[in-house]
Amino acid sequence: MEYEFLRDVTGQVIVKFSMGHEAIGHWLNDEVKGDLARVADVERQLHSLSGSLRQWQHIGHEFTLLIDAEEVMVRANGMSVECDALEEGLSYYDEESLSLCGSDDFLLMLSRYRQFIQTGG
């Protein structure tokens, strides 16, 4: 999973992720928006799930974050499109709407995100 932290002309943090992990970047850009309290809450939840079979979910405005002890899933809330409704030969494009990654990689990324924000990038 590759990513890059940037600032736009207004100083807002923008995150870009490699193909297959774009939804994580969209979640950070659209749901987190530099809110370090939310980052800390997600980190606490991930640590509390370590070694358990429990899951935790946060449904945001645009994306849902679903985590367990080993994996993180970010899914666009609008992904409930019925594929049966599409014409024959067409498929629903959802590459930027769903991303999975390991919990350890996700925690490392959140740590780097926090550091980027706190140091001014």
Side-chain angles (χ1 to χ4, degrees):
M1 170 171 79
E2 294 180 23
Y3 46 87
E4 180 179 14
F5 304 122
L6 308 162
R7 289 195 183 271
D8 66 12
V9 294
T10 67
Q12 177 77 23
V13 175
I14 303 294
V15 185
K16 294 183 180 184
F17 274 74
S18 59
M19 186 182 291
H21 294 99
E22 297 100 333
I24 298 170
H26 295 314
W27 173 75
L28 285 165
N29 294 332
D30 298 339
E31 302 287 341
V32 177
K33 299 179 184 175
D35 182 356
L36 295 181
R38 178 165 298 170
V39 170
D41 183 42
V42 172
E43 289 172 321
R44 272 192 303 277
Q45 294 296 335
L46 275 163
H47 288 298
S48 75
L49 294 172
S50 181
S52 77
L53 297 176
R54 295 178 299 121
Q55 292 182 332
W56 180 79
Q57 168 176 279
H58 177 76
I59 301 171
H61 296 288
E62 300 290 328
F63 289 88
T64 295
L65 178 69
L66 179 65
I67 60 177
D68 62 29
E70 296 179 11
E71 190 170 57
V72 174
M73 179 178 72
V74 177
R75 177 181 50 95
N77 293 341
M79 270 194 69
S80 61
V81 171
E82 293 290 329
C83 291
D84 296 340
L86 296 175
E87 292 182 31
E88 186 177 328
L90 297 178
S91 62
Y92 178 67
Y93 177 77
D94 63 4
E95 288 291 315
E96 295 182 12
S97 301
L98 176 69
S99 295
L100 299 166
C101 76
S103 296
D104 292 339
D105 289 338
F106 196 79
L107 280 169
L108 178 61
M109 179 277 300
L110 288 177
S111 174
R112 290 177 176 166
Y113 181 74
R114 178 189 312 96
Q115 183 179 7
F116 182 85
I117 291 171
Q118 290 175 334
T119 61

